[in-house]
Amino acid sequence: MMEVFVVMVPAKTHGLGLVEQLTVIRTCTVQRGDSRSELFDVMLAGAPERMRGSTVTFFSAEPNALIASPPASTAVSG
């Protein structure tokens, strides 16, 4: 299992040209083999009823952990 940080921004046009936009931010635990597409569908299905049928303008799902990088070299050449 792995925890992912998910951001989704659905937007929907209502009468008189008004646009409603919602930013959904969650952490989710996923199983090995789960796809971003499946996570997208689950997130969209969990959106408030008024946002059903909206257009998703942004979606991101990334591991919820800092990835360690090797330490930078401190040697001075010259």
Side-chain angles (χ1 to χ4, degrees):
M1 291 193 298
M2 177 176 64
E3 188 173 79
V4 293
F5 180 73
V6 183
V7 179
M8 176 182 267
V9 181
K12 188 172 186 178
T13 303
H14 296 285
L16 303 174
L18 299 174
V19 176
E20 179 179 10
Q21 183 171 306
L22 176 68
T23 302
V24 181
I25 301 170
R26 291 193 182 136
T27 55
C28 302
T29 301
V30 297
Q31 302 292 326
R32 181 179 292 289
D34 288 348
S35 69
R36 288 178 190 262
S37 176
E38 291 168 327
L39 187 54
F40 178 92
D41 291 341
V42 168
M43 291 290 291
L44 192 55
E49 185 67 35
R50 70 180 191 279
M51 297 304 286
R52 301 286 162 84
S54 61
T55 299
V56 176
T57 60
F58 180 82
F59 177 77
S60 175
E62 301 298 330
N64 191 27
L66 295 176
I67 299 171
S69 59
S73 173
T74 57
V76 178
S77 60

